[in-house]
Amino acid sequence: MPTTPPNADPAATGAFARTTITVVMAVIASLAFVFSFGNVWTLALRLGIPRPIAPLIAPMVDLSVVGLLVALHHLAAHGTDPAHLRSATRLMHLCGLLTPVPLSPSTASVWPWSIMR
């Protein structure tokens, strides 16, 4: 692993870019968690999940996706070969593609864009 001299400019080492990317990723993940929490909770209630259990479903869904994002970022930042990240990246893209797809016509009114109709 290459080392940098102690008096090296942080901008030259890429530390600023890595920090900025990490902060932006954390903000996006936090906002996604906050905005989807209510939607998943409502969907769980409409699917018949008991009231005490429904709020626990949203964090499970969100934290698994956030964990995937954090793991991919960590591995990519530490030089993991992109070929090893391919399956996790595909899973992340699949999650992104399936997010706007309603589970059934009866639950389609739960999704946020149903307000725009």
Side-chain angles (χ1 to χ4, degrees):
M1 184 164 187
T3 59
T4 57
N7 59 355
D9 181 24
T13 62
F16 178 73
R18 280 193 302 271
T19 303
T20 303
I21 289 170
T22 302
V23 168
V24 168
M25 188 190 77
V27 168
I28 290 171
S30 300
L31 289 174
F33 180 79
V34 168
F35 289 127
S36 71
F37 184 80
N39 291 337
V40 175
W41 190 350
T42 304
L43 177 63
L45 289 174
R46 292 225 178 150
L47 291 175
I49 306 233
R51 276 203 181 275
I53 306 294
L56 302 176
I57 304 276
M60 287 190 313
V61 171
D62 292 336
L63 290 178
S64 61
V65 173
V66 169
L68 180 62
L69 286 170
V70 169
L72 278 171
H73 174 67
H74 175 76
L75 291 172
H78 287 83
T80 302
D81 183 21
H84 292 121
L85 301 176
R86 198 165 290 133
S87 61
T89 304
R90 286 182 185 148
L91 179 61
M92 184 179 62
H93 290 146
L94 179 66
C95 289
L97 287 173
L98 293 179
T99 298
V101 177
L103 299 177
S104 70
S106 64
T107 60
S109 62
V110 176
W111 298 92
W113 59 82
S114 63
I115 298 169
M116 294 183 232
R117 290 185 200 159

